[in-house]
Amino acid sequence: MKTSAAILLASLASVSAFAPIVARTRQVAPSPTELDAHTLVLVRHGESTWNDLNIFTGWADADLNDKGKGEALAGGKLLKEGGYTFDVAYTSVLKRAIKTLWIILEEMDLMYIPIVNTWRLNERHYGGLQGLNKQETVDKHGKDQVLVWRRSYDIPPPECDESSEHYPGNDPRYANVDKADLPKTESLKLTEDRFMPVWENEIAPAIKSGKKVLIAAHGNTLRALVKHLDNISSETIAELNIPTGVPLVYELDDDLNVIPNENGIAPLRGAYLGDQEDIRARIGAVMAQTK
Amino acid sequence: MFAAARNAFSIASRTAVNHARVSPSTRSYNSGDIIWIPAASCVAAFQTAEKSTLVLVRHGESTWNLENKFTGWVDVPLSPKGEKEVVEAGQLIKESGIVPDVAFTSLQKRAIMTLNAVLAETDLMWIPVNKAWQLNERHYGGLQGLDKQETVDKYGKDQVLIWRRSYDIPPPVVDKSSPHHPSNDPRYAKFDFPEEWTESLKTTLERVTPYFNENIAPQLKEGKTVLIAAHGNSLRALVKHLDNIGEDVIAELNIPTGTPLVYELDDDLKPIPQEGALSPLTGRYLGDQDAIRARIEGVKNQTK
């Protein structure tokens, strides 16, 4: 397995040596069909109408904007060109992730695979900040406090009220969820705590049984997942930016340990598909949203 | 530790409900739902049946409808007109106040896209969706991919009419050397289809009805509102079953595309006849009733 992967990488390298000098660095992770490992692909949903307006979204069900739809389509094309296929997809109950998934599956001609929607893959709940403009919140509470709420590992924003439209108990899509599990706010840690059961009970077993899995989800649930896969510390994970719409490919062994990919951008050991310079630039850009 | 016990409790009750819904004989991945149901309501579901609502939508116009080709299991997308039709279908369902809890569809994109459009319009993209080959269009055997008019010119109007509208005479078979045999399509990889394959309306019904009884009926008996986005012949099979329609009548029945058909069922899954229903159906179509009547007449004219 290692030999064939090495041959593949060497042949990719030799092809790029003949490419025109004007071409940008473009590396795509090797096609998984050559490897015996289990393939897991993660995609963060594209830009939503609320990202545009710079509003804290959380569990609010904002739709993708046109740019976000384009990002999903581009992600789908990269997966299609890379020769990927999937047996099952997991996503949240929020439409920006679901639509991202639908667009990708349509592009890959895989609309027929089963999709599992779970609230446990939802974005982190932003408590009483949901619906508030990010810059206004900074003006009101100060940059430092907002930074703590946004980037701390375990300090959640203030709770939303039970009468609020943002309290999940008032939304029919959570009618079957145990009330005790419904958050009024979440930190990244709490997000991780409620995400991990679906990974352990549903997704990991599916991967172990040989299914090729695609997860279309949100910034913080994907952070929770890669923290677990790559053993990332709490301090590091709170700063990690996963670019939107870019497929992130993991190869896992039979025990679901990550087989590190050469193109992994630390601390991740999975590799993004697409133009690597562009991706690195985008990872930097997300940090600029509150000053 | 308490959380772990609660999780274990929820997992056990969820697993029990799922086993009640999906028969192992369908051999398809249980894509249904991760719904964490407290054990008490799970027991209640087994004991009492309730009235329910069933909404059927035939997929909108496909690109091959436009090209007048026999489609069957070929996976063609909706045409631009079809895409508009299904958005309207979603709007009609939204305006009706009907709120589906769960959806079923086939493995074919024209039905899945129809369902997706309806779910987007009704703001229900998050409900569980079950996809099954048993809800596919009828397989058209050796006629798949052929132009309808050319086939008439070749075989004669009467023979083609028999293949299209007979209850139990299927078109010629395809074998495993044909790209139209399901063994050559990865989406059917986990199912075993016979060496030679084709379907009549009768054999279509023979795979639709058991799927309905094993997977859809239990959800209806729990009082769930079920949405099914499917195809002309798989929906014919369903309404034949629901409304006890005769074989000769069902073969002539035209279900207009993109037009929601609403059934209210009692706790025995018997339809409660709806006002405005068009015989032999007891369900009612949503939308402009005159336009719908005209369209029902229109489908008959595809081969002369």
Side-chain angles (χ1 to χ4, degrees):
Chain A
M1 181 186 82
K2 274 194 173 158
T3 328
S4 56
I7 291 169
L8 182 66
L9 286 171
S11 58
L12 279 175
S14 61
V15 164
S16 61
F18 285 98
I21 298 166
V22 296
R24 302 178 66 183
T25 315
R26 181 190 156 88
Q27 290 167 317
V28 177
S31 164
T33 52
E34 267 86 348
L35 308 171
D36 293 328
H38 300 290
T39 307
L40 169 65
V41 177
L42 317 178
V43 183
R44 182 180 177 190
H45 68 78
E47 201 176 272
S48 80
T49 52
W50 282 27
N51 284 145
D52 241 0
L53 300 169
N54 224 19
I55 298 180
F56 288 113
T57 316
W59 284 31
D61 202 12
D63 205 348
L64 292 179
N65 59 20
D66 284 338
K67 181 175 174 205
K69 290 176 194 165
E71 288 178 286
L73 189 61
K77 285 192 202 296
L78 284 167
L79 286 166
K80 183 174 164 183
E81 284 159 21
Y84 291 84
T85 188
F86 300 106
D87 299 305
V88 62
Y90 292 84
T91 188
S92 67
V93 293
L94 300 172
K95 64 175 64 144
R96 56 198 188 270
I98 299 169
K99 200 171 266 189
T100 295
L101 179 60
W102 285 1
I103 292 170
I104 291 173
L105 293 182
E106 185 174 344
E107 183 60 25
M108 298 182 74
D109 204 9
L110 287 174
M111 295 181 77
Y112 58 85
I113 67 170
I115 296 173
V116 180
N117 299 83
T118 167
W119 69 272
R120 292 181 184 275
L121 274 170
N122 275 13
E123 180 50 293
R124 174 234 243 191
H125 193 288
Y126 252 98
L129 299 188
Q130 281 191 188
L132 303 187
N133 177 279
K134 290 174 186 172
Q135 198 54 56
E136 278 170 13
T137 314
V138 162
D139 297 338
K140 185 171 173 185
H141 294 279
K143 189 181 70 166
D144 294 336
Q145 174 67 89
V146 175
L147 210 63
V148 164
W149 286 331
R150 291 194 73 196
R151 295 288 173 244
S152 134
Y153 178 64
D154 56 3
I155 299 170
E159 287 190 347
C160 71
D161 203 77
E162 268 190 25
S163 62
S164 160
E165 66 183 298
H166 294 291
Y167 172 56
N170 298 326
D171 187 328
R173 86 192 67 191
Y174 306 110
N176 291 321
V177 178
D178 194 341
K179 280 275 183 298
D181 287 335
L182 294 178
K184 294 190 191 112
T185 186
E186 288 184 314
S187 59
L188 177 45
K189 178 176 196 311
L190 290 172
T191 307
E192 198 181 321
D193 289 344
R194 53 87 164 162
F195 161 71
M196 286 306 290
V198 79
W199 167 258
E200 279 156 11
N201 299 322
E202 302 282 335
I203 305 175
I207 299 172
K208 280 191 177 166
S209 75
K211 295 206 156 79
K212 300 184 189 62
V213 172
L214 171 64
I215 303 179
H218 305 261
N220 284 297
T221 27
L222 293 181
R223 274 181 172 148
L225 177 51
V226 303
K227 177 177 184 292
H228 168 76
L229 289 175
D230 288 326
N231 287 314
I232 300 171
S233 74
S234 314
E235 296 76 28
T236 312
I237 197 63
E239 293 298 320
L240 181 79
N241 296 314
I242 298 176
T244 52
V246 184
L248 175 54
V249 180
Y250 279 84
E251 307 294 343
L252 310 171
D253 68 18
D254 284 335
D255 293 318
L256 301 196
N257 295 313
V258 173
I259 300 164
N261 190 302
E262 280 201 6
N263 294 320
I265 299 172
L268 303 181
R269 295 177 296 167
Y272 289 108
L273 297 187
D275 185 307
Q276 300 295 301
E277 276 178 21
D278 192 47
I279 289 163
R280 268 174 228 264
R282 293 179 60 198
I283 290 172
V286 181
M287 283 176 138
Q289 270 173 339
T290 41
K291 294 251 170 260
Chain B
M1 186 183 74
F2 187 68
R6 195 188 331 120
N7 274 341
F9 209 47
S10 298
I11 292 163
S13 57
R14 176 188 57 89
T15 313
V17 173
N18 281 345
H19 279 306
R21 280 200 210 105
V22 180
S23 161
S25 66
T26 61
R27 292 173 64 198
S28 56
Y29 178 72
N30 177 20
S31 67
D33 35 359
I34 301 197
I35 297 176
W36 307 84
I37 302 175
S41 73
C42 169
V43 170
F46 285 118
Q47 288 176 337
T48 55
E50 298 183 32
K51 277 167 63 172
S52 57
T53 304
L54 175 62
V55 183
L56 311 178
V57 185
R58 182 179 177 191
H59 69 77
E61 184 188 86
S62 79
T63 52
W64 278 24
N65 285 146
L66 269 186
E67 294 174 39
N68 220 23
K69 287 186 184 167
F70 287 112
T71 317
W73 285 23
V74 180
D75 201 16
V76 298
L78 296 176
S79 68
K81 179 180 170 199
E83 283 176 2
K84 287 208 189 85
E85 280 183 283
V86 300
V87 168
E88 281 166 19
Q91 285 165 352
L92 285 167
I93 294 173
K94 182 173 167 183
E95 284 158 24
S96 75
I98 297 171
V99 182
D101 297 303
V102 62
F104 290 82
T105 188
S106 68
L107 298 186
Q108 300 178 272
K109 65 175 68 148
R110 56 198 190 268
I112 298 168
M113 289 163 94
T114 296
L115 177 62
N116 287 356
V118 169
L119 294 182
E121 280 304 307
T122 51
D123 201 9
L124 291 170
M125 293 171 67
W126 47 270
I127 65 171
V129 172
N130 302 288
K131 298 175 181 133
W133 76 264
Q134 290 91 334
L135 290 175
N136 275 14
E137 179 51 291
R138 173 237 248 191
H139 193 288
Y140 251 99
L143 298 188
Q144 284 191 179
L146 303 187
D147 176 273
K148 288 175 186 172
Q149 198 54 56
E150 279 171 14
T151 315
V152 161
D153 297 339
K154 184 171 175 182
Y155 292 101
K157 189 180 72 168
D158 292 338
Q159 174 67 86
V160 174
L161 209 64
I162 289 172
W163 284 329
R164 291 193 72 197
R165 295 290 175 246
S166 134
Y167 182 66
D168 57 1
I169 300 171
V173 297
V174 290
D175 63 28
K176 291 195 174 178
S177 66
S178 163
H180 293 289
H181 192 280
S183 64
N184 296 320
D185 186 328
R187 84 193 67 191
Y188 306 112
K190 41 182 188 301
F191 306 105
D192 261 323
F193 286 92
E195 285 290 324
E196 295 183 332
W197 188 242
T198 185
E199 290 189 301
S200 61
L201 181 46
K202 177 174 192 288
T203 58
T204 303
L205 190 138
E206 284 166 2
R207 44 93 163 165
V208 170
T209 314
Y211 182 83
F212 176 83
N213 288 332
E214 285 163 16
N215 300 286
I216 303 177
Q219 305 250 9
L220 292 165
K221 287 204 166 162
E222 285 175 28
K224 297 242 176 81
T225 299
V226 174
L227 170 63
I228 304 179
H231 305 258
N233 285 297
S234 45
L235 292 180
R236 274 180 172 146
L238 273 177
V239 302
K240 179 181 188 301
H241 173 73
L242 287 171
D243 282 332
N244 262 315
I245 300 172
E247 292 172 10
D248 36 357
V249 177
I250 195 66
E252 291 296 321
L253 181 78
N254 296 313
I255 300 176
T257 56
T259 311
L261 175 56
V262 178
Y263 279 82
E264 310 249 347
L265 306 172
D266 69 17
D267 55 7
D268 264 329
L269 300 190
K270 298 271 172 304
I272 299 163
Q274 300 292 296
E275 208 183 293
L278 298 171
S279 173
L281 304 178
T282 58
R284 67 188 162 96
Y285 288 107
L286 300 182
D288 179 333
Q289 301 295 304
D290 289 333
I292 290 165
R293 258 176 253 259
R295 293 178 62 204
I296 289 172
E297 288 303 303
V299 181
K300 285 184 168 154
N301 296 330
Q302 271 172 340
T303 42
K304 293 246 171 264

